[in-house]
Amino acid sequence: MAAANPNVTITVLFDRWGLRGISSGGTAMPSTRGERDGKSLQRRLQVLQMPVVPLRRAGFLDPSPTDPDWERTPQAVGVGPDHQVLAVWNHRHHSHRRLVTIHDGGRVPLDSVALDGCLQPHFVQPLPEGRLLLVQARRRQGDNNAEIWSSDGHRLHAGDLGDAIEDVLTTPTGEIWVSYFDEAMGGSGPQTHGLARFSDDLRPVWLYPGNTVPPVPEIFDCYAVNVAGETAWTCAYTEFHLVSACGERAADHGQSPYRSAQRLLIDGRTGALLSGPGPEYDLISGFRSTRMAW
């Protein structure tokens, strides 16, 4: 088991338990469905008594206000390093035809490109020079599950990023961070590392944990990942430490203030863990690290 860096501390910015007197620490685990439901309800009531952070509408997603041939529910949505939003829309009549739109919050897309013969993606990300990355989460052995397309709708590369993909995020320079969930551990190649970085032509260039000394926690399921600049941040099962990775190494920033978060936000030393299991689906836990991101 890897130890946290002793020179790094993580401070919880607000208490995720709310009413400490109602906390379940030290009590027996519920054994029946009724007990589990009661425990879940009790926890939900605790969450509802915490301060509420209002959501702000970031914008609208619409494939085209005038073309009815595109589905109105996107196949995939992604946010790039410049904070613009990309959405992939399926054609109503042609199963291999898709539209990728780029949005900045307004009602009308900034740009769009139609792709003929592309895969059906779960993830979409931008790459430099207007290129587009499409990725499927699952794939059969030997199949490709990633494609890079030009801004004028031509396929440039196809490749295999591995099976059981949890998330895909690109960096300003065009590198591709890929995280994996637990079923990836039964395969081979980059996916068995839990986190990998690929070049913009879909070649693996770094596999977690790299040549990091001292060692960092293993990843068995990359629950939460995000990218700030060129640095990837994770909070992964089973140890749920905050770990950053950049260049050829990773760094352990210590025990996360919250286990099992599904999303991770990071901005320098400050971050937030979002969305837990069951009654904690809308919970936010903030933190601050004494160690700056690279």
Side-chain angles (χ1 to χ4, degrees):
M1 180 179 298
N5 188 324
N7 298 317
V8 174
T9 60
I10 293 176
T11 303
V12 181
L13 300 184
F14 47 88
D15 174 32
R16 74 180 184 90
W17 287 110
L19 301 178
R20 294 181 184 272
I22 309 178
S23 175
S24 60
T27 61
M29 291 293 292
S31 58
T32 68
R33 180 173 180 177
E35 290 176 344
R36 290 192 296 272
D37 288 347
K39 197 72 172 178
S40 179
L41 175 60
Q42 181 187 40
R43 180 62 186 136
R44 185 60 189 162
L45 292 174
Q46 292 178 8
V47 171
L48 291 175
Q49 295 180 64
M50 296 179 186
V52 175
V53 179
L55 295 177
R56 179 181 61 86
R57 183 173 60 193
F60 301 86
L61 294 181
D62 194 338
S64 169
T66 59
D67 190 344
D69 287 337
W70 302 104
E71 299 284 355
R72 274 352 195 214
T73 301
Q75 167 69 30
V77 176
V79 180
D82 59 358
H83 305 298
Q84 290 186 338
V85 177
L86 285 75
V88 181
W89 312 85
N90 294 328
H91 198 277
R92 294 184 187 275
H93 311 296
H94 302 286
S95 61
H96 294 288
R97 184 172 173 81
R98 313 198 199 287
L99 182 73
V100 180
T101 53
I102 302 173
H103 305 260
D104 67 350
R107 291 184 176 273
V108 179
L110 293 176
D111 200 0
S112 64
V113 56
L115 307 180
D116 286 308
C118 68
L119 52 74
Q120 188 173 43
H122 298 97
F123 308 99
V124 58
Q125 284 285 287
L127 289 168
E129 301 172 353
R131 293 169 296 163
L132 303 168
L133 171 66
L134 305 180
V135 180
Q136 289 179 324
R138 307 305 305 261
R139 63 101 171 95
R140 296 185 179 90
Q141 186 67 34
D143 289 349
N144 291 327
N145 64 340
E147 296 176 346
I148 294 176
W149 290 73
S150 67
S151 60
D152 56 358
H154 292 88
R155 186 189 289 110
L156 303 175
H157 300 284
D160 176 18
L161 299 186
D163 189 27
I165 292 175
E166 182 76 36
D167 212 342
V168 177
L169 294 165
T170 56
T171 75
T173 63
E175 293 201 300
I176 303 164
W177 284 100
V178 182
S179 64
Y180 303 86
F181 57 88
D182 56 355
E183 292 184 28
M185 301 302 108
S188 60
Q191 69 189 55
T192 61
H193 292 258
L195 180 69
R197 190 174 74 244
F198 293 79
S199 65
D200 63 358
D201 59 0
L202 306 178
R203 295 179 296 105
V205 295
W206 184 84
L207 305 176
Y208 184 89
N211 56 0
T212 301
V213 178
V216 290
E218 291 184 82
I219 295 177
F220 294 98
D221 190 323
C222 202
Y223 273 37
V225 66
N226 210 336
V227 170
E230 300 298 317
T231 302
W233 288 78
T234 73
C235 183
Y237 180 84
T238 59
E239 294 188 40
F240 294 108
H241 280 211
L242 285 164
V243 175
S244 61
C246 187
E248 298 302 314
R249 61 192 180 95
D252 185 358
H253 297 260
Q255 181 70 52
S256 163
Y258 179 70
R259 299 171 66 88
S260 304
Q262 302 300 308
R263 295 290 183 265
L264 169 64
L265 300 179
I266 194 77
D267 183 11
R269 293 183 301 169
T270 303
L273 295 153
L274 287 70
S275 184
E280 300 182 350
Y281 69 90
D282 55 356
L283 189 63
I284 301 174
S285 293
F287 63 86
R288 180 178 290 117
S289 173
T290 60
R291 180 168 182 165
M292 293 293 288
W294 289 306

